[in-house]
Amino acid sequence: METRVLAPSKQKVQGSGLEQSLIELVKRSRPAPRRSTINGCAYCINMHTQDARKRGETEQRLYLLNAWREAPVYSERERAALAWTEAVTLISETHTPDDIYAEVSAQFSEAETVNLTMLIATVNAWNRLAIAFRAVPSVKGPKATAA
């Protein structure tokens, strides 16, 4: 379902001109993944973390994503993208504060900011579809048993 409905959006994201590493960071952002954790999507957290590892993301950066503001492993551009991801994902609470908009505007051109925002909106939509349609993450190894 997710693939058919959002295929055009996925193609737009990939052709947005944003760096692949930045796209992956936003996809897996909020305690690994940041946006999927905010939305409570286990399927997406699992998928994007695995994808990030396959693309060469380090374990350290994955683990430190929980505390990205204090971790010295993210560039200013990545930090701006992470702050913007949180603000847009939690828009009913944050209303995208002016200081965060200023940060993202300092790091990204207007076109890049539009593309970044569309990426965030698209991935949020994927989260909502996965949750709504009860997508279950595939797991390797033994599954938990009832206590």
Side-chain angles (χ1 to χ4, degrees):
M1 174 76 174
E2 168 185 334
T3 304
R4 285 181 293 158
V5 172
L6 290 172
S9 297
K10 186 175 184 179
Q11 292 166 353
K12 270 254 197 233
V13 165
Q14 292 303 321
S16 69
L18 294 171
E19 307 94 277
Q20 187 63 41
S21 61
L22 192 62
I23 292 170
E24 290 301 322
L25 187 65
V26 170
K27 281 183 178 181
R28 72 181 194 309
S29 55
R30 170 82 188 182
R34 188 151 209 75
R35 173 232 3 100
S36 293
T37 301
I38 290 171
N39 292 327
C41 185
Y43 177 84
C44 295
I45 292 167
N46 187 59
M47 176 180 57
H48 294 307
T49 302
Q50 288 178 358
D51 289 349
R53 284 186 181 107
K54 286 178 189 172
R55 286 190 169 84
E57 188 57 80
T58 67
E59 293 295 314
Q60 183 179 37
R61 282 175 48 96
L62 287 172
Y63 298 146
L64 288 174
L65 198 50
N66 288 325
W68 65 268
R69 285 180 178 84
E70 295 84 28
V73 297
Y74 303 103
S75 70
E76 290 304 311
R77 185 171 166 92
E78 290 171 328
R79 290 173 186 283
L82 288 166
W84 190 242
T85 299
E86 288 181 1
V88 171
T89 299
L90 298 170
I91 201 159
S92 68
E93 298 171 26
T94 69
H95 300 279
T96 58
D98 290 339
D99 62 324
I100 295 175
Y101 182 76
E103 283 178 45
V104 81
S105 296
Q107 294 294 325
F108 295 87
S109 70
E110 183 177 353
E112 288 175 323
T113 302
V114 169
N115 288 334
L116 178 61
T117 306
M118 290 304 298
L119 167 62
I120 296 164
T122 300
V123 178
N124 275 310
W126 291 335
N127 282 170
R128 283 154 176 75
L129 287 171
I131 292 166
F133 289 101
R134 311 307 194 257
V136 177
S138 61
V139 294
K140 295 177 183 173
K143 294 181 177 145
T145 57

